[in-house]
Amino acid sequence: MPVTIVLGTQWGDEGKGKLTDLLAGEMDFVVRYQGGHNAGHTVVVDGESFALQLIPSGVLNESVTPVIGNGVVIDPGVLIAEIDQLASRGVDTSRLKVSGQAHLIMPYHIELDRVAERHLGKNSLGTTKRGIGPTYADKAARIGLRVQDLLDPKIFRQKLEVVLKEKNAILAKVYNRLPLSADQIADAYLNEYAPRIAPLISDTVALLNDAVVAEKRILLEGAQATFLDLDHGTYPFVTSSNPTAGGAITGSGIGPRNISRVIGVAKAYLTRVGSGPFPTEVFDEVAEQLVDRGHEFGTNTGRRRRTGWFDAVLLRHAARINSLSEVFITKLDVLDPFDVVKVAVAYESDGQRYDSVPYHQSVFHKAVPIYEEFPGWKCDLSSVRKRSDLPKEALNYIEFLSQQIGVPVTIVGVGPSREQYVEI
Ligand code: GDP
C-alpha cells in the first residue's frame, strides 16, 4: 500500500514543503487534497527558493506527476500565474493534473471575503482574504462552480448568472458595494483561463485509484494543519477545509485502507498566524529570537507569526486524530542558542490539570501550560547529518518529544535546505 500522507500537526508553517520535496524523489504522484492558495510552501533547492501556493511541491521533481485533487479550491488566475512563474524558472509543469471536481474561486468570493472581514472589525478571523472560505461555503451550499464547468461555457454562464444575482444583492444591500459584472467574469474565466486550464483537467480520482492498483507511490500533501482543521481545530479560528488525515481521503478520493504511512510534521517550537488560543505563546526576547532565527513571517502574507514553546498536549491530540505513524521535527536548529528549552506536557485551567486538549473552548482559552525544562545544546546544528553527531541535549529533547507524543520521531530538520536533516 504505497500511499503516504504528510500533514501539519500544529498551526501550519511547520515545513511540510521541505519534507514533501524530500520524499518526492521516491514518489510517482504528489497530490494536494485541500485548501487553496492560502497555503504557501517554501522549498529550497540548490540554494534557489521556490514559493508554491497551489501546485504540489512535487512539481520540482521531474519523475513526479503533481495532482491538484478534488478537495482543493482553485483561483484559475493564480494557478496560471504560478505555472508561468515556474516555467520562467525552467520548471516543467506539463505533467500537472487538476481535478474537474475541484471548486473554482470566483471574483465574488474574493470580494465577499474582503468586505466580510472588514465588517467583522475586531472580531475578524484573520483570513487571507483570497476567497477560499466563501468558496468552501458555496461548495457546502451546493451553488459552487467547478473546474469542469470551464469546459462547458453554456452551463458555466447559467450557473454564474444564478449565483451572481444573489451575491450582488448581498454585496449591494449588506455591504454597500457595487455589483460585479457576469460578462466580465465569464470573459475572464471562459476566454482567458479555460483554454489554459482545459488541458490539465483530469479525472484525478480514477487516475489515483488506478495508480494505487498499479502499486505506484503516492504522496498526499496537506496544507495548513491539524489545529486549523474545520472540525478538529480551534474553531472559529480555523481554515474552511480538513487538513487532517480524514481530509486527505475525501480530498483525493483514495480510500482509507490504502494509506500506509501518516507523517506528522511539527516544528521544534510552535507558531501561529492570526487570532485564536495559543497556551505556550511567548512575548519576551524568546519570541524575538524565535521570530528572528526562524524567519517567522508568512510566505504569502508577510505577517509576523506568533511564537511559543513546543506543546506536547497538542501533538498527542494530533497523533490521535490523524493516526500518525511517525513525526518529522523541523527547525531544531532555531533553538541552537537557547540556554533552556521548554515543552508543555499538560495544562492547568481553573485549578484542574488537563493532559489532553480540553474540548471546551472556554477552558482551552484559559489553559496555562505546565512545562518541563531542558538544558539547551548551545551549538550550531546546521551541518549535523548523523544522529551520532547530535549533541546529547538535542537528542534528549527529541527523545522526550517522541515519548510525549507516543509516536517515533524519525527525521529532524536542522536547516532550510533539502539536505539539512538528520535521520533518528
Ligand atoms: P509549510 O507551509 O509547512 O511548508 O511551511 P513554510 O514553507 O511556510 O515554512 C517553512 C519554512 O521553514 C521555510 O522557509 C523552510 O525553508 C524553512 N525550514 C524547513 N525546515 C527547516 C529546518 O529544519 N530548519 C530551518 N531553519 N528552516 C527550515
Side-chain angles (χ1 to χ4, degrees), residues 12-18 39-44 224 265 267 293-295 297-299 305 328-334 412-417 420:
D13 312 308
E14 295 93 348
K16 298 175 290 293
K18 179 176 151 183
H41 280 320
T42 312
V43 185
V44 181
Q224 292 98 28
V265 185
K267 267 182 206 177
R293 288 188 52 82
H295 306 290
F297 295 94
T299 311
R305 296 174 183 146
F328 175 32
I329 299 286
T330 60
K331 294 189 144 184
L332 189 63
D333 54 300
V334 171
V412 171
V414 291
S417 281
Q420 286 180 299

Side-chain angles (χ1 to χ4, degrees), residues 333-344:
D333 54 300
V334 171
L335 301 179
D336 285 353
F338 286 91
D339 294 324
V340 170
V341 287
K342 298 187 190 181
V343 178

Side-chain angles (χ1 to χ4, degrees), residues 179-213:
L180 301 178
S181 147
D183 285 341
Q184 267 177 20
I185 297 174
D187 183 44
Y189 278 64
L190 295 174
N191 300 328
E192 197 184 324
Y193 304 150
R196 296 286 311 275
I197 307 270
L200 311 173
I201 302 176
S202 160
D203 180 353
T204 56
V205 174
L207 177 79
L208 293 172
N209 279 288
D210 288 347
V212 169
V213 173

